Amino acid sequence: TKRDLDINRLIYLSLRMIKKQLRGKNSLGSKVDPIALLGAWDLLNNLEHLADELKRIGRNLKKCKLKNNNLKKDFLRVFDILIEEYDKVMKSYFTRDINSAYSAAITKEKIVEACNKLATKNTDVCMANAVEKLKASSTFVRNIARVVYDGLT
């Protein structure tokens, strides 16, 4: 999709810029801390993986032929928690709020536990795949939170 291509292009261009900085070809005008560049790369890498997992969730849900509306509602409830945590993490990145990043990182276990409960209620293969992708997405959100609080400590 176009959005997927845009994300891949963003990652590629960002990595080119980071490599250029590490080689000493200073395009930003001043020396940038290599650790900050590593943090930026880690953030971008996790954002790309998160975007890929979210795309796969949509693809799997599109194939599902669920008859259980409660399962759909439960899945969407867990998905909403993931999105809230992602929003919190990204806001903490830009506001440099370490406590918010820690809080979001801790929520991963809650999301995984909710996904495990969903898996026990489910018999549909497509939904099972979507639940596993949701778990993986929570890992990438937690990794982004780690980038935030590691960069601030």
Side-chain angles (χ1 to χ4, degrees), residues 43 47 83-101 104 141 144-145 148 152:
L43 175 73
L47 283 172
I83 297 304
E84 286 174 23
E85 295 309 307
Y86 169 76
D87 287 344
K88 187 189 300 183
V89 166
M90 293 311 293
K91 189 179 289 184
S92 71
Y93 176 76
F94 288 106
T95 61
R96 304 181 63 74
D97 181 3
I98 197 167
N99 292 328
S100 184
V141 170
I144 293 169
V148 172
L152 298 177

Side-chain angles (χ1 to χ4, degrees), residues 113-124:
E113 188 178 307
C115 286
N116 289 336
K117 286 181 184 174
L118 277 173
T120 61
K121 298 178 190 177
N122 177 47
T123 57
D124 186 82

